[in-house]
Amino acid sequence: MQKYSIFNLVKNAFSNHENWDLAWKDPTPKEEYDVVIIGGGGHGLATAYYLAKEHNITKVAIIEKGWIGGGNVGRNTTIIRSNYMHDENALFSEFGMDLWRKMSQDLNYNVMFSPRGIINLAHSDAQMNAYARRGNSMRLNGIDAVLLNREQVKEIIPMADFSENVRFPIFGGLMQPSAGTARHDAVAWGYARQADSMGVDIIQNCEVTGFDVTAGKINGIRTSRGNIKTKKVGLCVAGSTNILAEKLNMTLPIETHLLQACVSEPVKPILDRVVTFGAGHFYISQSDKGEMVMGGDLDGYNSYAQRGNLPTLQHVLTEGIAMMPFLSKLKMLRTWGGIMDMSMDGSPIIDKTHIDGLYLNCGWCYGGFKATPASGWTFAHTIAQNRVHELNAGFSLNRFSTGHLIDEKGLGTKTWIS
Amino acid sequence: MLHIKCPYCGMRSQNEFSYGGDASVKRPELNKEISDEEWDNFVYNRKSPRGKHLELWQHLSGCRQWIKVERDTATHEIFNTYKADEEIS
């Protein structure tokens, strides 16, 4: 594989950049693989990469129904953070933060990781107390957290509404300075390129139509491009988890819902942090191109549509304008939607299943993108060693029946309530 | 914008309704012996199909009645609506 470097850039300039290697190949499926990963999104690509890099398992195929990076890894709002209160989420995410910091070097691909900090705004004394508690929990787990008062927030984001007579006045906020954003497509492409170079077959436009399971063991999968034999299958299909689970006669604690995001027209730099509204569900950052990147609530009912409905967008942007009134002057450039695998406690599942050789990675809810490296790393470990790593031991499938829920937001099983 | 036909009030916009989830989930009979698995299926496990889905909605900003709606989760087409206690064959 050609290394991406300033020297190769200059060298290739002499041949008008026409002689670069393809970033990944387009192989036809082989008859058999050691591991098949279903889903060529961020998590699937990362899993294949860490299987090859950390466990020397390179006879791996990634089976993708569409094209790699066309699902949620290309549809999110690119936020990376580890500001969780519960140990399971906090330690897992903070492990991921380390991988994020090294990712561009590790993948030899600029993922434009920008640790600009995230601020969760508080709009009441009670919320300040809750944030103080969460900040303390974070610090006990080695994660940076700073509790800001109103004046401190005003210094950082003066464009927010600090007037006296607003419905949700800003009391302060909780900041994680090391949080940030990254270029989401580059993450998918970087993992794909490295995985491919180590021998992983990335098979696109190939739909999984069924599974060969005999005596509780997986023996292979059936696809639109033929049958593939394998002893290990990893499911990384986010919003399509229930569709494949049905083919396996499994019913999971997952519902598929639609989440929208949108960007405004590009404007000059105004916001150099990620900011979330505390009295509803709205988050915003500014991309390197100048667009304001915004998102918020789920559409509110089970959906596989991959496109959104206007009432939710209006509701979310009303919150945005309440927080930062200047947004009302911007034109909307694009809106889009992705389908989320909403788990019943808001936390993910990375685990083995009752079928020998079938591994499950799902339930990412609103936070799949930031989890990409840690999810791939721990899922690769789980598949390669056939046992969970301590980092994903809490994300078990049976925690719902044993009562060991990780209910970060205290929302319970009504996943559409935000 | 979805348009949902409330069996009591007629066709209304989605904004008047709130969602209540899968209507096919049945609470286990309390007078019987109930296994953990049955509770699990009632509380947590969901089919979440792509296609026809029978679900509960409440006409919150209207008559406040709970209703059942048969809707396609991929196209959002609404096939039929029922009163909450209506048996559906």
Side-chain angles (χ1 to χ4, degrees):
Chain A
M1 183 185 64
Q2 265 170 315
K3 196 172 154 60
Y4 290 163
S5 68
I6 183 77
F7 304 107
N8 272 330
L9 190 67
V10 172
K11 195 176 117 194
N12 278 280
F14 291 109
S15 52
N16 294 323
H17 296 290
E18 286 170 356
N19 297 326
W20 285 102
D21 289 347
L22 286 178
W24 53 85
K25 297 178 281 293
D26 185 20
T28 46
K30 295 193 186 87
E31 208 171 285
E32 187 169 359
Y33 290 95
D34 290 341
V35 179
V36 170
I37 304 295
I38 302 173
H43 292 221
L45 293 161
T47 304
Y49 169 70
Y50 290 113
L51 275 172
K53 187 186 172 224
E54 304 285 341
H55 306 279
N56 289 319
I57 300 173
T58 55
K59 211 179 160 194
V60 176
I62 295 170
I63 308 293
E64 166 56 48
K65 185 172 74 172
W67 63 95
I68 58 165
N72 294 343
V73 73
R75 292 165 188 262
N76 55 76
T77 48
T78 81
I79 297 165
I80 293 160
R81 59 187 175 83
S82 59
N83 53 357
Y84 286 99
M85 188 169 81
H86 290 306
D87 289 350
E88 294 90 343
N89 286 326
L91 296 172
F92 176 88
S93 303
E94 187 57 16
F95 175 78
M97 292 303 292
D98 270 341
L99 295 174
W100 279 111
R101 286 187 272 267
K102 294 183 281 199
M103 190 180 288
S104 290
Q105 294 299 324
D106 190 26
L107 298 180
N108 178 228
Y109 206 106
N110 186 4
V111 300
M112 298 163 79
F113 177 54
S114 161
R116 60 184 67 183
I118 186 168
I119 301 171
N120 303 131
L121 293 179
H123 307 276
S124 66
D125 283 328
Q127 206 167 12
M128 282 299 281
N129 290 341
Y131 281 173
R133 182 181 176 220
R134 175 146 65 96
N136 285 334
S137 297
M138 287 165 62
R139 292 170 74 125
L140 286 170
N141 278 323
I143 302 164
D144 55 330
V146 185
L147 195 64
L148 304 171
N149 63 29
R150 181 179 161 93
E151 291 311 310
Q152 289 167 313
V153 173
K154 195 173 179 178
E155 260 178 46
I156 301 171
I157 48 164
M159 79 296 285
D161 194 347
F162 286 93
S163 52
E164 297 295 331
N165 298 318
V166 290
R167 173 67 183 82
F168 299 109
I170 296 169
F171 275 55
L174 181 65
M175 177 157 79
Q176 184 192 1
S178 67
T181 61
R183 173 142 192 248
H184 51 196
D185 300 318
V187 175
W189 298 336
Y191 275 123
R193 175 168 162 268
Q194 286 295 342
D196 175 90
S197 79
M198 288 188 282
V200 172
D201 279 358
I202 298 170
I203 298 159
Q204 305 183 68
N205 298 309
C206 180
E207 185 174 358
V208 172
T209 53
F211 298 84
D212 288 329
V213 181
T214 37
K217 268 187 174 172
I218 204 116
N219 285 316
I221 59 165
R222 294 189 287 276
T223 79
S224 56
R225 292 173 68 179
N227 295 350
I228 298 171
K229 279 189 238 165
T230 182
K231 298 276 181 232
K232 290 185 174 185
V233 173
L235 239 56
C236 281
V237 294
S240 301
T241 300
N242 286 301
I243 298 174
L244 289 183
E246 198 195 338
K247 296 184 199 296
L248 289 155
N249 291 321
M250 289 169 77
T251 313
L252 296 171
I254 301 278
E255 274 185 18
T256 297
H257 285 260
L258 187 117
L259 183 60
Q260 296 191 70
C262 57
V263 294
S264 75
E265 60 184 326
V267 289
K268 288 191 174 175
I270 179 167
L271 182 64
D272 58 357
R273 313 280 166 154
V274 181
V275 182
T276 73
F277 185 55
H281 201 177
F282 172 81
Y283 38 88
I284 185 166
S285 64
Q286 189 171 19
S287 76
D288 293 339
K289 286 186 282 186
E291 302 154 334
M292 307 307 290
V293 186
M294 300 170 278
D297 282 320
L298 296 173
D299 265 26
Y301 40 84
N302 293 48
S303 173
Y304 284 89
Q306 279 195 323
R307 61 181 189 283
N309 210 339
L310 200 55
T312 303
L313 207 56
Q314 282 177 320
H315 170 73
V316 167
L317 292 173
T318 305
E319 295 173 25
I321 290 165
M323 184 173 95
M324 292 183 177
F326 80 94
L327 293 174
S328 68
K329 303 221 168 38
L330 299 183
K331 291 187 181 74
M332 185 75 76
L333 196 64
R334 294 191 305 279
T335 78
W336 65 92
I339 51 173
M340 306 293 118
D341 36 338
M342 301 300 294
S343 70
M344 291 292 167
D345 62 357
S347 297
I349 297 163
I350 308 177
D351 203 0
K352 298 157 65 173
T353 63
H354 72 283
I355 298 170
D356 202 13
L358 182 79
Y359 304 86
L360 192 61
N361 180 331
C362 62
W364 292 100
C365 302
Y366 302 92
F369 175 67
K370 63 147 196 303
T372 305
S375 161
W377 196 95
T378 53
F379 198 39
H381 181 280
T382 305
I383 294 171
Q385 314 275 334
N386 195 33
R387 63 188 164 87
V388 295
H389 189 270
E390 62 178 20
L391 282 169
N392 64 312
F395 299 149
S396 63
L397 179 55
N398 74 356
R399 70 175 183 268
F400 298 93
S401 46
T402 61
H404 295 86
L405 303 185
I406 313 168
D407 199 349
E408 190 77 29
K409 289 187 178 170
L411 291 177
T413 60
K414 303 285 183 279
T415 59
W416 55 88
I417 297 173
S418 46
Chain B
M1 178 80 77
L2 300 181
H3 289 100
I4 301 171
K5 191 180 168 192
C6 172
Y8 304 93
C9 314
M11 195 67 87
R12 297 298 171 94
S13 94
Q14 165 196 345
N15 289 344
E16 294 186 14
F17 294 84
S18 74
Y19 187 61
D22 191 337
S24 67
V25 177
K26 289 262 187 298
R27 190 186 174 94
E29 287 278 350
L30 284 180
N31 297 328
K32 284 197 322 199
E33 191 76 20
I34 303 160
S35 68
D36 287 355
E37 200 185 338
E38 281 174 279
W39 270 122
D40 239 19
N41 285 334
F42 167 62
V43 181
Y44 297 117
N45 293 335
R46 297 289 178 268
K47 290 214 162 62
S48 190
R50 187 182 197 277
K52 267 190 187 177
H53 188 230
L54 188 68
E55 53 203 18
L56 291 166
W57 288 77
Q58 189 189 12
H59 194 187
L60 195 67
S61 308
C63 63
R64 302 187 66 83
Q65 293 284 346
W66 282 92
I67 62 168
K68 287 181 194 163
V69 176
E70 193 179 36
R71 183 181 62 90
D72 190 304
T73 58
T75 64
H76 298 329
E77 183 185 355
I78 292 173
F79 304 103
N80 222 331
T81 56
Y82 309 88
K83 294 175 180 175
D85 56 358
E86 233 174 295
E87 281 302 322
I88 301 158
S89 52

